[in-house]
Amino acid sequence: MANVAVVGAQWGDEGKGKIVDWLSERADIVVRFQGGHNAGHTLVIDGVTYKLSLLPSGVVRRDTLSMIGNGVVIDPWALMKEIDDIRGKGVDVTPDSLLVADNAALILPLHAELDRAREEARGAVKIGTTGRGIGPAYEDKVGRRAIRVCDLADLDYLDERIDGLLVHHNALRRGLGAPEIDKAALSASLRELAPRLLPFAGNIWKRLDDARRGGDRILFEGAQGAMLDVDHGTYPFVTSSNTVAGQAAVGSGMGPGAVGYVLGITKAYTTRVGSGPFPTELTDEIGNLLGERGREFGVVTGRKRRCGWFDAALVRQAVKVGGINGIALTKLDVLDGFEEIKVCTGYRCQGRDYDYLPPMPRLQADIRPVYETFEGWRESTQGARSWAELPATAIKYIRRIEELIEAPVALLSTSPERDDTILVRDPFAD
C-alpha cells in the first residue's frame, strides 16, 4: 500500500480539505507538512461545517492520528483556539489524537506585526500575504533565530532564545519606526502557553518511522498550491515554503521514499487570492458567476477570490514539477449550465508561444491565454457519485483535461459533502 501526499496543483483553495478528509478514512495517520495558519480547509460532514487552518483535515476522524510536522510554522495561540473551536463542535482533540513536532518553529505576535508593516510599506506592489506572520517566521527559522516548540520545555534556554531573536527584530522595528518588543511580556505569554501546548509535543519523525515499519498508511497533507511554491511558483507572489510533494518528506522527517503516490488537487476552473499573475482571470459576468456559485471566499481571511477558466498549461506544469501521479478534480458542479466552457492550453506573449508559464514577472504580466472551447452541459452534476450520473459532455470535458495535463483523474468531487465523491483510482492501492 502506498503512502499518499495530497498537494494543490493551482494557487491553493482547490478543495484539499475535503479530499484529505475523504482519504483519511483509508489512512492511519494524517500529517501536515508545510505552511501555517494562513492555509484554510473547509470540511462539510453531515451538514456540519468545520473550518481548519493548522489542524490536519483528518482530525475529525476518531481512529486517525493527526500530526503537525516540523515543516509547519505554528502560531501556538491560533492552534489552541482552533482546538477549542473544534472541540465545541463535538470533535475530541487530545494528545492521543494530535501530535505536534517538537522541532517545529513558532510564529510569534512580532512576526504578524512585521508581516503587516512590510506589506503596508509596499504600497501598490503588495505581495498579497495574509499578514499572519508566516513569512517572517520562516525567515527566522532559516536565519537560525526561531523559537521552537521544544524550547518551551526549557525556560532558562527560552529566555536566551528570546534575547537572540529580539536583537534582530528590534533592529528591524527601529528601522520601521515601530516600538521595540517588550521581552518580559513575550516571555510571560510563552511561559503561560507552554503547559497547554507541550502535552501535544513529540518526536514526529520517529513516530512516523515506527508507523511505516508497522505497515500503517500515512497521508501527507499540503497547504496552498504548486503555483505558490517559493521556488516553482509565480515569484515573488508566492508563499514562504515549498508546497510541492517533495516537501512532504522533508517537512515530516521522512526519506523521499516514504511518499508513494502524489495526488494533485485542482478545481474544474481556476482561482487565486491576492496579487500576482493570473492568465485566465475573468473580470466579467462569467468570473463573477464562478465566484458566486463556487462560494469563492477565503476560509481564513474572507477575501474574495479571483476566478477564471481552467488553465491546463499551468496544471501540467504543476504535474511535472510536483511529480503528481493523478489528480482529484473538484467543483465540477460549478460549471453546470454554461453553454460553453473554455480551457487554456498554452500562452502567447510578444509573438512567441509557450506551453508553460515562464518565470519572468514581466512576461507573466503580459502573457495571454490560448483557449480551446468546449460544449457545456445543462444537466446537474451536483452530488453525483458515479460516472453513470454524469452528462456525456461533462465526461468529455474531464477526458480532455486528462490529455492536456498529462495525468489521470483519480477522484472527482461534485459537492462539498464528504460522500459526494467519485473514486476512479484508489491512491492508496498503488
Side-chain angles (χ1 to χ4, degrees):
M1 296 293 180
N3 295 325
V4 177
V6 174
V7 295
Q10 295 166 312
W11 277 292
D13 309 309
E14 302 95 347
K16 293 182 291 296
K18 173 193 167 173
I19 300 301
V20 170
D21 169 60
W22 193 84
L23 287 172
S24 65
E25 185 177 20
R26 296 162 171 78
D28 300 294
I29 299 173
V30 180
V31 191
R32 269 285 308 273
F33 61 83
Q34 50 79 219
H37 66 309
N38 56 339
H41 300 312
T42 300
L43 310 180
V44 181
I45 303 167
D46 297 328
V48 179
T49 300
Y50 302 91
K51 294 186 177 182
L52 308 177
S53 295
L54 274 168
L55 291 174
S57 299
V59 75
V60 297
R61 299 276 186 182
R62 289 184 178 179
D63 299 326
T64 303
L65 174 61
S66 294
M67 295 184 179
I68 300 176
N70 56 274
V72 178
V73 284
I74 300 170
D75 181 323
W77 295 277
L79 177 60
M80 292 298 106
K81 183 181 184 304
E82 193 173 334
I83 290 172
D84 290 341
D85 289 346
I86 199 169
R87 281 173 175 166
K89 294 193 173 185
V91 178
D92 190 23
V93 182
T94 71
D96 291 325
S97 63
L98 174 68
L99 189 62
V100 177
D102 53 11
N103 58 338
L106 296 179
I107 300 174
L108 305 176
L110 57 87
H111 292 126
E113 292 168 8
L114 178 60
D115 204 359
R116 291 190 293 268
R118 283 176 171 171
E119 192 74 340
E120 185 64 29
R122 290 187 180 103
V125 290
K126 289 179 170 59
I127 296 296
T129 76
T130 60
R132 292 172 182 259
I134 281 77
Y138 272 118
E139 289 177 36
D140 282 344
K141 177 180 177 178
V142 174
R144 294 163 290 188
R145 298 180 294 269
I147 293 173
R148 301 186 298 169
V149 173
C150 57
D151 296 336
L152 301 183
D154 186 340
L155 297 181
D156 289 336
Y157 182 65
L158 175 63
D159 280 341
E160 292 180 22
R161 298 299 302 166
I162 292 174
D163 285 336
L165 184 69
L166 295 190
V167 167
H168 175 79
H169 276 273
N170 281 334
L172 285 177
R173 293 171 75 93
R174 286 192 295 270
L176 291 167
E180 295 189 7
I181 298 296
D182 183 339
K183 177 192 172 183
L186 176 59
S187 178
S189 62
L190 287 170
R191 287 166 182 264
E192 181 184 2
L193 175 86
R196 296 185 63 200
L197 179 62
L198 287 175
F200 294 97
N203 189 316
I204 292 283
W205 68 264
K206 191 174 188 307
R207 186 75 172 269
L208 285 172
D209 183 63
D210 292 341
R212 185 185 179 197
R213 290 174 182 272
D216 285 347
R217 291 175 173 179
I218 303 169
L219 183 59
F220 300 94
E221 179 181 10
Q224 290 99 22
M227 291 300 111
L228 291 176
D229 186 281
V230 69
D231 288 308
H232 303 290
T234 49
Y235 193 91
F237 302 99
V238 293
T239 192
S240 299
S241 62
N242 289 110
T243 62
V244 295
Q247 180 65 18
V250 178
S252 60
M254 302 191 77
V259 180
Y261 187 97
V262 180
L263 181 67
I265 317 300
T266 176
K267 286 175 181 168
Y269 51 102
T270 310
T271 64
R272 176 166 198 170
V273 172
S275 306
F278 186 170
T280 66
E281 183 175 11
L282 298 170
T283 57
D284 56 10
E285 291 183 7
I286 294 176
N288 290 332
L289 185 58
L290 288 171
E292 291 170 7
R293 287 185 177 183
R295 298 178 183 177
E296 297 298 349
F297 296 90
V299 174
V300 173
T301 64
R303 289 187 295 178
K304 183 179 179 180
R305 296 175 186 140
R306 301 154 64 189
C307 297
W309 294 121
F310 185 84
D311 191 335
L314 182 135
V315 174
R316 181 172 61 243
Q317 184 171 331
V319 167
K320 305 297 185 184
V321 171
I324 292 173
N325 301 108
I327 67 165
L329 189 67
T330 67
K331 293 198 171 185
L332 181 69
D333 54 302
V334 173
L335 298 181
D336 292 352
F338 281 99
E339 290 187 8
E340 65 176 30
I341 299 168
K342 294 183 179 182
V343 171
C344 173
T345 59
Y347 312 108
R348 189 163 293 131
C349 184
Q350 299 178 7
R352 177 180 171 184
D353 290 333
Y354 292 86
D355 61 358
Y356 65 95
L357 191 62
M360 295 77 78
R362 291 188 183 275
L363 287 182
Q364 291 177 352
D366 195 39
I367 211 158
R368 296 294 178 266
V370 176
Y371 284 120
E372 187 172 316
T373 302
F374 298 80
E375 179 186 356
W377 53 90
R378 295 187 180 278
E379 306 93 326
S380 173
T381 63
Q382 186 171 14
R385 298 184 182 182
S386 70
W387 281 105
E389 298 178 58
L390 297 177
T393 45
I395 294 174
K396 183 178 179 180
Y397 176 73
I398 295 166
R399 293 307 187 201
R400 182 56 177 151
I401 282 177
E402 290 180 315
E403 293 175 356
L404 290 170
I405 67 173
E406 300 179 21
V409 171
L411 289 98
L412 186 67
S413 172
T414 56
S415 94
E417 285 285 350
R418 172 188 281 173
D419 294 329
D420 291 341
T421 306
I422 300 172
L423 177 63
V424 182
R425 184 171 183 173
D426 187 353
F428 281 114
D430 281 22

